Amino acid sequence: MSVSIAEGMYGADQVGLISGFLFLPGQAGQPIASEEAVRFLQQPTPDDGFVWLHFNLAHAACERWLRAKMPLPDDFFELLHAGSSSTRIEPSGGMLLAVINDVALGFGVVTSDVATLWVAAGSRLLVTARVRPLRSVDRLRAAVKSGEVFLSARSLLFHLMQDQADVMAGIVRESARKVDHIEDRFLAEHLQDHRAELSGMRRTLVRMQRLLAPEPGALFRLLNRPPVWLAEHDVQALRESTEEFSLVLNDLASLVERIKLLQEELAAKLNEQTNRTLFTLTMVTVLALPINIVAGFFGMNVGGVPLANHPHGFWVLVLLVASFTFLAGWWAFSRQKPR
């Protein structure tokens, strides 16, 4: 089949198509425009390859064009309007429909914001649609442009899920590196109040775990009772992607628990340090109490002040204050329970 090369496919065209690729059997993907993709899908030959079309849902004409030109089930458009939810994949109308939550792509900026990708994968068509750029889609597009060969549209979907797991593994690895640094400083007794940083990291990871983890019910049903039109190698690829993502989620859960324990240890250490500081201030107050009392009494401008005319009155008062200070210190330290 002769297909003209579409120029400048990264920016969205008049229907919101960001990038489109045609995959012929045994060949790498070639760029394709939206109207060329429609003509390809209208041809009755089922074994001449498949197309991947990636859309920007923020484009006003995108959904209307998808409804009019693409052979997509109604469930796909219901998912578009259902809003963000947990990641899931399920069969519908001879296609695999998926909602994939992934880390948003920050241009040169490290971000942990989560964005949603809606996917419909059939035998000759893979449609992905998003509002915000995603890291895993950018990785998949880079793999296609590098010449990687894909056997089917569904294999692209499973590759996308693996890319999502790789992105998630990178975030867990970076977070673990930060936790290692904080833990090393804690063990070296270089105490700093990292509780705000740890709390923010923990909230982010828990949110990502909630949104990015696939719904187990629908996924297990799909793996245990796959539809007849889903090839065996596709089921195996989905199972491998699921297992890989499960390992990443286990690492994430372990990291969250580790952050929780480190928060508790750090809070206990800081509380102990605060208690020692308060005890020191209390001791200073207690030890200064006798001299303040004596100074207050002898500083009153009244008659009859004792020892006013005594030749050794000053040293008598020094001895008196020192004695009371010693007794106050002994009393305070004796009440301090040993740790």
Side-chain angles (χ1 to χ4, degrees):
M1 175 181 175
S2 175
V3 179
S4 63
I5 303 299
E7 301 292 340
M9 292 303 297
Y10 188 82
D13 65 4
Q14 66 274 11
V15 298
L17 180 67
I18 299 173
S19 59
F21 295 95
L22 169 67
F23 296 85
L24 298 177
Q27 299 182 21
Q30 296 295 325
I32 187 174
S34 55
E35 294 303 324
E36 293 172 333
V38 172
R39 289 195 295 270
F40 170 80
L41 294 173
Q42 290 174 347
Q43 293 184 358
T45 54
D47 298 327
D48 61 347
F50 62 94
V51 294
W52 171 33
L53 303 177
H54 181 52
F55 291 91
N56 180 12
L57 288 175
H59 198 286
C62 179
E63 183 177 347
R64 184 171 63 252
W65 189 88
L66 286 174
R67 289 181 180 272
K69 300 292 186 178
M70 292 287 102
L72 298 173
D74 294 336
D75 291 343
F76 177 76
F77 298 101
E78 292 180 4
L79 289 176
L80 293 182
H81 296 282
S84 299
S85 61
S86 59
T87 297
R88 65 181 185 274
I89 178 171
E90 55 192 20
S92 176
M95 305 185 77
L96 285 179
L97 303 183
V99 178
I100 298 178
N101 292 297
D102 191 18
V103 179
L105 178 63
F107 295 96
V109 179
V110 178
T111 176
S112 58
D113 293 338
V114 176
T116 302
L117 179 75
W118 293 268
V119 184
S123 58
R124 304 182 67 206
L125 173 65
L126 174 69
V127 172
T128 57
R130 55 77 171 168
V131 177
R132 301 171 59 192
L134 293 93
R135 293 189 185 182
S136 57
V137 175
D138 195 65
R139 289 167 62 100
L140 179 60
R141 183 163 44 215
V144 171
K145 290 182 177 180
S146 67
E148 186 172 344
V149 177
F150 294 91
L151 299 177
S152 66
R154 298 184 184 100
S155 66
L156 271 172
L157 169 60
F158 304 143
H159 193 287
L160 181 66
M161 296 178 65
Q162 291 176 347
D163 287 337
Q164 182 196 23
D166 291 341
V167 171
M168 187 67 183
I171 294 175
V172 172
R173 188 161 47 248
E174 179 65 19
S175 300
R177 186 189 63 80
K178 295 179 180 179
V179 173
D180 290 341
H181 176 70
I182 295 175
E183 192 173 43
D184 290 342
R185 292 186 62 84
F186 174 75
L187 294 177
E189 299 295 334
H190 296 159
L191 286 182
Q192 292 182 4
D193 195 354
H194 292 284
R195 288 178 294 180
E197 183 180 358
L198 290 173
S199 297
M201 197 182 307
R202 181 181 174 189
R203 286 194 300 269
T204 299
L205 292 176
V206 169
R207 179 171 178 264
M208 293 176 66
Q209 183 181 19
R210 174 175 59 87
L211 291 176
L212 272 64
E215 287 186 356
L219 186 59
F220 288 154
R221 285 195 300 270
L222 180 60
L223 290 173
N224 295 329
R225 296 189 298 273
V228 294
W229 43 263
L230 192 61
E232 180 61 30
H233 63 83
D234 288 335
V235 176
Q236 182 62 28
L238 177 60
R239 183 173 287 109
E240 292 175 357
S241 301
T242 303
E243 291 174 354
E244 182 178 351
F245 203 86
S246 298
L247 293 176
V248 176
L249 289 176
N250 289 336
D251 292 341
L252 190 149
S254 300
L255 181 59
V256 170
E257 185 64 25
R258 182 182 168 196
I259 292 175
K260 179 182 177 181
L261 293 176
L262 186 57
Q263 282 180 301
E264 294 175 354
E265 290 288 339
L266 186 60
K269 199 73 174 178
L270 290 174
N271 287 337
E272 182 180 355
Q273 189 179 57
T274 301
N275 290 337
R276 286 199 300 267
T277 302
L278 290 177
F279 176 74
T280 302
L281 293 176
T282 302
M283 289 303 304
V284 170
T285 303
V286 169
L287 295 178
L289 184 61
I291 191 172
N292 289 331
I293 294 177
V294 172
F297 273 112
F298 282 85
M300 292 184 291
N301 191 18
V302 295
V305 176
L307 305 178
N309 299 315
H310 195 281
H312 302 293
F314 172 77
W315 297 109
V316 172
L317 289 179
V318 168
L319 179 63
L320 182 64
V321 169
S323 301
F324 275 110
T325 301
F326 174 78
L327 291 175
W330 174 82
W331 176 80
F333 279 106
S334 64
R335 294 180 61 86
Q336 179 70 12
K337 295 181 180 180
R339 295 183 180 274

